Amino acid sequence: MPSDSQNQQDCPTTIHPEGASQLVLVDLILGNRLILAESNPAAGILAGRSLQTDLPLQSPSASRNHCRLKKNEGRWQIEDLDSSNGTWVNGKKVRSADLEPGDILQMGESRFRVEDTINCATPAATHNLLNRLFQDRFEPIHRKNAA
């Protein structure tokens, strides 16, 4: 039976080797799969309503320069750029957050699911999302029963 460390190496994660600077997003409104690359790692990937952004958003409630997606120490992160309506990850408003496969991003009415560039038979994105959802919902019940 493989060890936990072997399972983690074989499954998708947003921790990529240093050379891999691509982020895969699925547009949940249009159904498009987007592969985004950092052309300038220091600047990251700019998302917003402006056509000059790397990820132009069609949402009128998105700010012109809404947020930045950036790889930091091999891990993708999102940072809100003082947008009018906020940046949301899995239904929670964030100033900045680490991203994992399965995360749902919302900027205005635009919604994206984070995927991965690594091919793996294990559905880690779904597992990670369900794990976080159930942990948030069942943790208080579990604590209540322990008391």
Side-chain angles (χ1 to χ4, degrees):
M1 183 168 192
S3 70
D4 286 343
S5 62
Q6 287 173 323
N7 285 338
Q8 289 173 352
Q9 288 177 335
D10 295 339
C11 295
T13 176
T14 52
I15 299 175
H16 299 291
E18 282 307 307
S21 293
Q22 294 182 332
L23 178 64
V24 180
L25 299 176
V26 174
D27 185 323
L28 297 176
I29 307 295
L30 301 174
N32 299 331
R33 187 171 187 250
L34 308 168
I35 300 174
L36 304 169
E38 286 184 312
S39 56
N40 178 356
I45 297 168
L46 185 61
R49 209 177 62 244
S50 169
L51 296 177
Q52 280 69 48
T53 61
D54 303 301
L55 177 59
L57 304 173
Q58 301 298 314
S59 171
S61 61
S63 296
R64 292 179 59 80
N65 294 314
H66 196 95
C67 66
R68 181 181 325 277
L69 298 151
K70 192 171 180 180
K71 199 166 109 175
N72 184 18
E73 297 181 6
R75 190 169 189 85
W76 282 100
Q77 299 174 328
I78 191 166
E79 174 190 5
D80 184 75
L81 298 175
D82 296 321
S83 64
S84 299
N85 295 309
T87 299
W88 300 74
V89 177
N90 299 324
K92 296 177 184 173
K93 191 174 184 179
V94 299
R95 177 77 180 122
S96 65
D98 289 335
L99 300 178
E100 296 183 33
D103 282 347
I104 305 296
L105 311 179
Q106 184 167 347
M107 299 149 271
E109 288 90 28
S110 299
R111 295 184 59 192
F112 301 91
R113 182 179 66 240
V114 176
E115 290 205 345
D116 204 329
T117 58
I118 300 172
N119 292 322
C120 178
T122 305
T126 302
H127 177 267
N128 288 342
L129 179 60
L130 290 174
N131 204 18
R132 285 192 305 280
L133 288 173
F134 286 125
Q135 183 178 14
D136 286 349
R137 290 188 181 170
F138 294 117
E139 192 172 34
I141 295 170
H142 185 65
R143 284 188 199 151
K144 188 177 182 180
N145 290 339

